[in-house]
Amino acid sequence: MTATVTFTGNAPANADSSVVEWVEDIAQLTQPDRIVWCDGSDEERQRMLDEAVEAGTLIKLNPEKRPNSYLARSNPSDVARVESRTFICSEHEDDAGPTNNWAAPAEMRETLNGLFEGAMRGRTMYVVPFSMGPVGSPLARLGVQVTDSPYVVLSTGTMTRMGAGALAQIGPDTEWVPAVHSIGAPLLPGEEDVVWPCNETKYIVHYPESREIWSYGSAYGGNAILAKKAFALRIASKIGEREGWLAAHMLLLKATNPEGRSFHVAAGFPSACGKTNFAMLQPSIPGWTVETIGDDIAWLAPGPDGSLRAINPEAGFFGVAPGTGHSTNPTAIATLERDTVFTNVALTDDGDVWWEGLTDEAPSHLIDWLGRDWTPDSESPAAHPNSRFTVSAHLCPSIADTWDDPAGVPIDAIIFGGRRATNVPLVAQARDWEHGVYMGATLASERTAAAEGVLGELRRDPFAMLPFSGTHMADHWQHWLNVGERLNDTGNAPLVFQVNWFRRGEDGRFLWPGFSENSRALAWITERIEGRTDAVESPFGLVPVDGAIDYVAAGVSSEDWEALFAIDPEALNAEADDTDVFLARMGTKVPDAVKRQHEEFRSRL
Ligand code: GTP
Ligand code: SPV
Ligand code: MN
């Protein structure tokens, strides 16, 4: 043994040697001042919250307004996922595909070794074991992240089952995903720290074959909470491909109709396109209830009975703040009453938080997300458009009691959706699984603030996974076709649908009120599952017959209702041309089934 043992001398006695040795290696490389193994206890969390307040990273909110809640303000350069700095370093470039940044693993390892060398000097390295999915569930997976960011430890504590319970699951033969994270801001002796240390240089790197994650330079969200997008989607999509299950950027919900029949739904919308809101839906239709199972990630696996079983691998919500208000998402507002960490929202004069859309009227004075005085006359928004809340799932009043069932829930319907001002109807049913895969594969959406880039620009976001696939996108489609075949064989394949809450009129306003009224599309979907309502053919698939959805009760005029389903042949032909270009860009791996479906789409125009 070398002198380096002092680094890991404080490892829990039951920590598997594979973990201890890895921690030791990373400590050798990054040279932290000390190592803390996180146990996930309440005392540990409180201690870290207090320390983060002391360091200025967190501002404690007024406990009378919002008990045990905090505000973090990030560095203004560190506010969203950086897709341009995210890499899938598979052995072969062709396994990453045209939608991912790729670099040769050996080359990337060399680059990262250089960056991580001494990166944690002057800081504490936290060892954060976690389980994605209920601890011990056959569908759950284990990981260990090391990080020098207390904010990231606190976030991972909320978003996963973090601590001693997860570590105890790791034995000599257990597979676990190692995730190395550094903010890349070593401290010289005596150097004063800043409230949100990070580095201009950023790398979010995945090695799909060896199932490793390395992240450098950012402390924000998906860049840094590696359990989430890096593990539960990018690495998991690769694992799922090998093992026959699906990692999806999807919410999970349970809808119960007035007769008491329940349906489980998985819905994939791109970032900031309504998953949290749909998962927490309060139906406007009397007699219906919706319960929440997950709001961002679903793992879907064919079960022993031939049904598609789903778990939410996460344990909390990292949700978009702007637009979340009493009138749009009262369930989220109730969830956030206490025990919440807010990031990049505004601070009120009485020590509470505010963001655009929380209330109809803005307070007369705020401190904005950059720490500046703000009034309603200010030019820029008070909260960053990608400001977020981090809160435990069990604080959500609509959480289903089956949300953490180790066996998962059986999925009845899969929905794809995006932000589409034009072309895409409010709701349509795929003719079959293959058509559903085509819907997912050709999904497009207008860009949001969840990632860097030009807002509003239409981009393809297949399966809402463009930034999250650890594999070649066309391989992802083939994998969905393969899983569908297995489900079809048992007659248990879920029905597939597409929705669009964001179609606009010529005057630019949304044609559909959205939010609680989305229950009307959801109810129609369940009626299709039950075979209770007819549908008519359209180029997009099967759409509701007249009278099947009570749009008048939703406050929608008959003109707007028609516009929500209007077909503009010229615009659709242009979109089909664009799909040709897109499919060509995806290359030779595009499954024949997807090409066939595209030809069929054209022939129906
Ligand atoms: P990620 O966490 O980034 O994956 O996003 P998400 O898909 O969970 O999106 P979320 O539910 O947080 O919604 C993002 C934004 O869309 C918020 O500002 C919502 O207010 C808004 N939004 C959600 N549902 C609707 C809807 O039905 N209609 C309209 N007009 N806006 C919506
Ligand atoms: C998303 O961007 O889809 C998110 C937030 O859910 S993050 O975890 O940062 O990816
Ligand atoms: Mn997301």
Side-chain angles (χ1 to χ4, degrees):
M1 290 267 176
T2 64
T4 61
V5 170
T6 51
F7 274 129
T8 48
N10 58 351
N14 68 341
D16 189 71
S17 61
S18 63
V19 181
V20 178
E21 279 160 25
W22 171 75
V23 168
E24 199 166 297
D25 285 349
I26 303 302
Q28 276 300 309
L29 176 65
T30 59
Q31 298 284 313
D33 274 10
R34 66 202 80 80
I35 297 179
V36 170
W37 290 70
C38 294
D39 62 14
S41 65
D42 291 345
E43 299 71 44
E44 174 183 87
R45 182 174 179 83
Q46 195 54 55
R47 188 173 65 245
M48 291 197 66
L49 285 165
D50 294 344
E51 284 170 9
V53 170
E54 182 82 8
T57 306
L58 295 181
I59 296 167
K60 191 166 170 54
L61 299 175
N62 181 346
E64 274 163 33
K65 295 276 168 190
R66 217 164 287 263
N68 196 30
S69 296
Y70 300 84
L71 168 64
R73 292 190 197 121
S74 78
N75 183 298
S77 71
D78 197 21
V79 294
R81 283 180 296 98
V82 284
E83 294 175 9
S84 62
R85 305 302 306 158
T86 300
F87 294 83
I88 301 297
C89 296
S90 45
E91 292 296 332
H92 302 287
E93 183 167 7
D94 199 39
D95 288 331
T99 59
N100 282 313
N101 300 311
W102 179 84
E107 214 170 284
M108 183 58 86
R109 282 183 196 283
E110 207 174 301
T111 305
L112 292 184
N113 269 333
L115 287 170
F116 276 89
E117 200 181 326
M120 296 190 188
R121 281 208 185 104
R123 298 195 181 276
T124 301
M125 177 166 105
Y126 299 90
V127 183
V128 188
F130 59 87
S131 173
M132 298 312 278
V135 175
S137 158
L139 299 173
R141 301 279 155 157
L142 298 156
V144 184
Q145 177 166 344
V146 295
T147 177
D148 51 7
S149 162
Y151 169 86
V152 168
V153 176
L154 288 164
S155 301
T156 305
T158 303
M159 298 306 297
T160 73
R161 283 91 172 167
M162 186 274 269
L167 186 65
Q169 292 283 309
I170 299 179
D173 301 318
T174 315
E175 231 180 61
W176 54 277
V177 169
V180 184
H181 172 248
S182 175
I183 51 180
L187 277 175
L188 297 173
E191 187 183 339
E192 184 126 4
D193 205 359
V194 294
V195 297
W196 188 280
C198 60
N199 197 301
E200 292 285 293
T201 301
K202 293 178 176 41
Y203 279 92
I204 323 297
V205 175
H206 310 72
Y207 301 105
E209 283 95 0
S210 56
R211 302 174 178 182
E212 287 166 81
I213 304 161
W214 289 71
S215 165
Y216 181 87
S218 168
Y220 196 88
N223 296 333
I225 308 165
L226 301 179
K228 206 169 159 57
K229 299 303 175 33
F231 180 172
L233 290 178
R234 297 194 191 99
I235 296 293
S237 62
K238 185 73 187 174
I239 300 176
E241 213 175 84
R242 282 207 199 133
E243 298 180 0
W245 53 276
L246 307 163
H249 189 207
M250 288 183 175
L251 68 94
L252 293 168
L253 65 78
K254 174 182 173 183
T256 305
N257 70 15
E259 289 90 66
R261 179 162 172 201
S262 292
F263 306 84
H264 291 100
V265 174
F269 313 154
S271 300
C273 289
K275 291 183 299 300
T276 303
N277 280 266
F278 197 47
M280 296 182 183
L281 181 77
Q282 288 190 8
S284 57
I285 323 174
W288 283 77
T289 53
V290 166
E291 293 164 82
T292 310
I293 295 170
D295 84 326
D296 196 48
I297 299 178
W299 286 353
L300 310 150
D305 59 351
S307 68
L308 187 62
R309 315 275 323 180
I311 61 163
N312 169 13
E314 304 191 273
F317 309 125
F318 181 57
V320 176
T324 306
H326 287 282
S327 58
T328 56
N329 190 348
T331 303
I333 296 301
T335 308
L336 305 177
E337 271 171 14
R338 53 182 308 124
D339 299 319
T340 304
V341 175
F342 298 89
T343 303
N344 290 342
V345 301
L347 182 66
T348 66
D349 290 347
D350 56 1
D352 199 3
V353 284
W354 192 85
W355 52 79
E356 280 69 21
L358 175 62
T359 53
D360 288 340
E361 231 174 278
S364 57
H365 177 262
L366 293 166
I367 302 295
D368 75 4
W369 70 278
L370 290 161
R372 306 173 305 193
D373 285 306
W374 186 95
T375 69
D377 294 331
S378 296
E379 306 257 294
S380 51
H384 186 276
N386 191 38
S387 56
R388 296 209 174 225
F389 51 80
T390 312
V391 67
S392 277
H394 70 81
L395 290 175
C396 175
S398 64
I399 200 79
D401 54 14
T402 49
W403 86 276
D404 56 357
D405 187 333
V409 296
I411 296 299
D412 300 292
I414 287 172
I415 308 177
F416 295 108
R419 260 176 208 270
R420 292 299 308 269
T422 59
N423 286 8
V424 181
L426 178 72
V427 60
Q429 182 188 344
R431 291 176 199 92
D432 52 25
W433 183 272
E434 184 180 295
H435 183 216
V437 169
Y438 173 74
M439 278 179 175
T442 53
L443 199 65
S445 193
E446 289 140 24
R447 216 187 251 276
T448 66
E452 46 175 355
V454 184
L455 290 188
E457 176 188 71
L458 188 68
R459 69 166 182 175
R460 297 283 165 168
D461 193 341
F463 281 78
M465 284 286 280
L466 180 76
F468 309 123
S469 175
T471 70
H472 192 300
M473 190 50 80
D475 286 339
H476 190 75
W477 304 345
Q478 186 60 55
H479 181 48
W480 270 76
L481 289 166
N482 296 347
V483 171
E485 241 167 67
R486 276 173 65 193
L487 297 169
N488 278 326
D489 284 348
T490 65
N492 274 319
L495 300 184
V496 185
F497 299 83
Q498 177 161 31
V499 299
N500 177 22
W501 317 139
F502 299 94
R503 194 144 172 180
R504 292 180 192 263
E506 270 159 20
D507 51 3
R509 95 209 124 80
F510 289 122
L511 292 168
W512 180 249
F515 302 106
S516 66
E517 298 299 351
N518 295 338
S519 58
R520 298 184 191 277
L522 180 60
W524 182 78
I525 285 167
T526 68
E527 284 160 16
R528 289 297 295 161
I529 296 167
E530 288 187 291
R532 272 161 58 148
T533 183
D534 286 334
V536 287
E537 282 285 353
S538 89
F540 283 95
L542 302 159
V543 296
V545 291
D546 277 348
I549 291 181
D550 187 357
Y551 58 83
V552 178
V556 172
S557 68
S558 54
E559 296 79 57
D560 283 359
W561 179 253
E562 266 171 40
L564 279 163
F565 290 88
I567 300 288
D568 174 350
E570 212 172 299
L572 286 188
N573 269 308
E575 180 146 352
D577 291 345
D578 189 66
T579 303
D580 280 331
V581 174
F582 170 66
L583 294 180
R585 190 163 88 81
M586 292 306 107
T588 53
K589 286 183 171 183
V590 174
D592 287 340
V594 171
K595 292 186 201 154
R596 191 162 56 235
Q597 286 292 333
H598 186 50
E599 275 159 33
E600 192 162 322
F601 177 70
R602 267 204 191 277
S603 74
R604 285 176 194 268
L605 291 180

